[in-house]
Amino acid sequence: MSEVDIETTRRDARDSQPADLRKPCVLLVDDQPARLLTYESVLQGVGVTCVRALSGEEALSRLLKQSFALILMDVSMPGMDGFETARLIREHPRFEHTPIIFVTGVRLSELDCLRGYEVGAIDYISVPLVPEILRSKVALLVELYRRRTELEALNRRLDSTRALDSTRAQSFENPMALTVVMQAVRGEAGEILDWRYLDANKAALELEDRTRLFSIPLCARVLAEGEPHRYEIYAGDRGFLICLFPVGNDTVIGSGVDITEAIASSAEQLREADRRKDEFIAMMAHELRNPLVPIRTAVDLLKRASEHPSMIATVRPMMERQVSHMVRLIDDLLDVSRITSGRIELKPEAVSLSSLVAGAVDANRQAISAGNLDLSALLEEPHLTLNVDPTRFSQILSNLIQNAAKFTPAGGRITLTAATERNGGAADPRLRITVADTGVGISAELLPRIFEFFAQAETAGQGRQSGLGIGLALARQLAEMHGGTLEARSAGVNQGSEFTLRIPLPDSPQVTEGAKSRESGSLGGLRVAVIDDNRDAADIMGLLIEDMGGSARIAYDGVSGITAAREFKPAVVLLDIGMPGVDGYDTCRRLRAELGTQVGIIALSGWGQEQYKRRAVEAGFDAHLTKPAKPGPLSDLIRSLACGAGPFRR
């Protein structure tokens, strides 16, 4: 690149600087788009504009077009890796002082670390990221950049508005900075023999260590090179950011800003981050230990099961619940690592909205039931087809429902609604899913950080269950990977919460095969009664029946279920076993007495052992399914019973 090209690039870069110095730019360099999303999410609220680059080459191109307060760069990138990119950046005089922080997902050797520092890195950060640590480091570097930028702007104004002659500069004051004007005293051969102060503002005159702060040897270097020089220096317990700026052949302006408070504030942020990290580790240990206590007790009880065979039926479900809880905690922790390292790949496919909602509700059935919560799902178009990863999208919905169940007092209400929105036009249709609750709400202080990893750890005592504060952060990351957004609203403490998910709809939204079956097959309009004391389970099952082309009637206890069946005259009844009062076995006997063998009756139960199937046969059931029932086999079984066949039919 020629000197003309370099100067043109410099001028273009100056012209392209953002007018708002309060929003410095940070360059994020990583070949993994998911990890770039993570960086941007973590840096929300720091007051920066994030610019992405997916390779070292793209990063260099970005740098030639604008200035950055900081570069956050992955070490391991294909092609030009982070080390090589940093070396090229440092070789350019414009970027030699731009801070570089390396991000790495692998443990580096001491030689690798040394190599990084040799090419200009100032720090390393490992993934998975601790948000508070990254945010505090970036905040400090951005604050220093902002101060330097302000000083440069001040010096440019001084240069353009004050004509400094070679003998004396006019007196000037700037309460925001220390300012001195120094002139070189040269000998006959042009060598610098001494320096004299031409002027200094009040703040500089009051400073005893003025000579040490504005380094004389550095002043000579600034004149020789014709370029500004910046450095940090400490005088006693105070820290200063100094800029030496050449004016003419013999004069140097020195400007300094006291950064003591900024450094102290950043150290306080680091201490706070360390405290939250310790709290998270303690909470994680507590959460993982909690399920182990009943599991260990259950193992001791099972050792005596030969004396009490019925004990197995009591202990086993409890062990399954506790193991499932532990697995979910561990899965969440692994997902944090997968997302921050960019190792989650979505596998989108066509799937119905109602099946996604049903799966999410089913995953939280126990928590909803234990909290005596009322959950309702209102879907404007339940048969709508979405192009999403069914596992990960269900995880988003499940995490939102789990959060609502955790922080809603007993007897409270959770409402899930889904509707399409087009922003007043046909272009860019989106699906809006809202999960609202009547729970403890979110304080104004926590609301801006509610989607940060581990943020909810601070509020664990407010909920029915404690937790790691991972679920909402994962939900937002997965929503963004689907091209969507996730936002939170709350009027304050004890005012409930509302989470709104928006995702793009396919260009031509279609109904699922379950909806088409109303005309062409599947349940084909069959009447199905659903009797279950778990209201959310019954409601979702009703939605699923209708999604498969059937007509559903729902009842929440045995007595009202018998009345509903008498009026509705269903072809098939889906009947829960473990209901209070009149249980499923007695309800089945009464239905048989009233409706005979013309109606098919399916037992739905969390108990799948042979002894429970035998009891179902004795009570008059036609079939037995273990919860949760898969839609495909359930549809096949309903249709076979409607035709007079079934597993228990003679």
Side-chain angles (χ1 to χ4, degrees), residues 57 62 95 121 134 146 160 215 291 331 389 427 494 592 641:
E57 293 84 352
R62 298 278 188 188
F95 314 131
L134 175 60
R146 185 180 288 114
S160 62
S215 169
D331 283 344
D389 183 316
N494 297 323
R592 282 282 178 246
L641 285 177

Side-chain angles (χ1 to χ4, degrees), residues 354 357-359 361-366 368-369 373-377 528-548 551-558 560-561 564 573-577 579 604 627-629 634 638:
S354 60
V357 172
V361 171
D362 187 69
N364 292 278
R365 179 187 297 148
Q366 181 183 344
I368 295 169
S369 178
L373 302 174
D374 179 23
L375 184 145
S376 58
V528 180
V530 180
I531 306 174
D532 195 326
D533 67 300
N534 187 321
R535 288 177 173 262
D536 56 286
D539 292 342
I540 291 299
M541 183 58 71
L543 280 174
L544 182 59
I545 295 299
E546 294 183 350
D547 182 59
M548 294 189 296
S551 177
R553 175 72 66 87
I554 298 171
Y556 303 118
D557 60 72
S560 61
V573 176
L574 301 181
L575 178 56
D576 181 39
I577 296 294
M579 297 186 295
L604 288 178
K627 293 180 177 179
L634 176 61
I638 291 174

Side-chain angles (χ1 to χ4, degrees), residues 503-519:
I503 64 161
L505 285 173
D507 293 337
S508 300
Q510 299 176 353
V511 295
T512 61
E513 290 301 319
K516 293 178 182 178
S517 67
R518 294 176 184 269
E519 298 93 19

Side-chain angles (χ1 to χ4, degrees), residues 87-225:
R87 184 184 65 78
L88 293 174
I89 291 173
R90 280 290 180 262
E91 288 179 354
H92 197 294
R94 257 186 59 213
F95 314 131
E96 61 178 344
H97 299 299
T98 303
I100 299 175
I101 296 179
F102 276 143
V103 179
T104 177
V106 297
R107 184 176 180 84
L108 297 178
S109 66
E110 292 184 0
L111 288 177
D112 285 330
C113 291
L114 180 60
R115 181 186 174 193
Y117 293 129
E118 286 176 346
V119 297
I122 65 170
D123 203 354
Y124 277 90
I125 292 180
S126 299
V127 294
L129 299 171
V130 178
E132 292 79 6
I133 292 178
L134 175 60
R135 200 162 30 242
S136 61
K137 290 183 177 182
V138 171
L140 174 60
L141 292 171
V142 166
E143 177 62 24
L144 294 177
Y145 172 82
R146 185 180 288 114
R147 298 287 181 100
R148 288 195 298 267
T149 306
E150 290 171 350
L151 283 174
E152 290 172 1
L154 170 65
N155 286 327
R156 285 196 297 270
R157 291 196 300 271
L158 289 172
D159 188 35
S160 62
T161 57
R162 296 181 178 273
L164 296 176
D165 59 32
S166 60
T167 58
R168 180 102 178 146
Q170 296 180 359
S171 177
F172 56 91
E173 289 295 329
N174 179 6
M176 299 299 294
L178 309 170
T179 305
V180 299
V181 181
M182 294 168 286
Q183 186 181 53
V185 179
R186 298 185 181 272
E188 293 182 359
E191 75 279 15
I192 297 178
L193 302 177
D194 199 0
W195 288 84
R196 63 171 176 245
Y197 284 97
L198 296 183
D199 210 342
N201 67 355
K202 183 178 179 182
L205 290 172
E206 292 176 350
L207 194 68
E208 295 181 2
D209 251 346
R210 184 170 67 250
T211 302
R212 188 166 78 87
L213 288 183
F214 299 98
S215 169
I216 296 300
L218 285 179
C219 288
R221 174 180 166 185
V222 166
L223 283 185
E225 296 178 354

Side-chain angles (χ1 to χ4, degrees), residues 213-289:
L213 288 183
F214 299 98
S215 169
I216 296 300
L218 285 179
C219 288
R221 174 180 166 185
V222 166
L223 283 185
E225 296 178 354
E227 293 287 340
H229 187 80
R230 306 168 189 81
Y231 57 94
E232 295 175 23
I233 192 169
Y234 290 83
D237 59 352
R238 298 172 66 187
F240 295 88
L241 178 65
I242 305 295
C243 177
L244 300 178
F245 189 81
V247 178
N249 296 323
D250 297 316
T251 306
V252 173
I253 296 177
S255 295
V257 175
D258 192 330
I259 58 173
T260 307
E261 291 186 7
I263 294 174
S265 174
S266 178
E268 181 63 31
Q269 290 176 348
L270 288 173
R271 283 195 293 270
E272 174 65 14
D274 189 59
R275 180 188 67 79
R276 292 182 64 187
K277 179 200 67 177
D278 291 342
E279 287 183 356
F280 166 70
I281 292 174
M283 181 164 296
M284 180 174 65
H286 172 76
E287 284 295 302
L288 294 176
R289 189 184 299 116

Side-chain angles (χ1 to χ4, degrees), residues 297-319 607 611-612:
T297 303
V299 170
D300 292 336
L301 291 173
L302 289 176
K303 292 177 181 177
R304 300 193 292 273
S306 58
E307 303 172 7
H308 306 283
S310 62
M311 188 180 298
I312 296 177
T314 304
V315 170
R316 180 179 172 181
M318 178 273 293
M319 294 182 70
W607 309 93
Q611 65 192 79
Y612 298 104

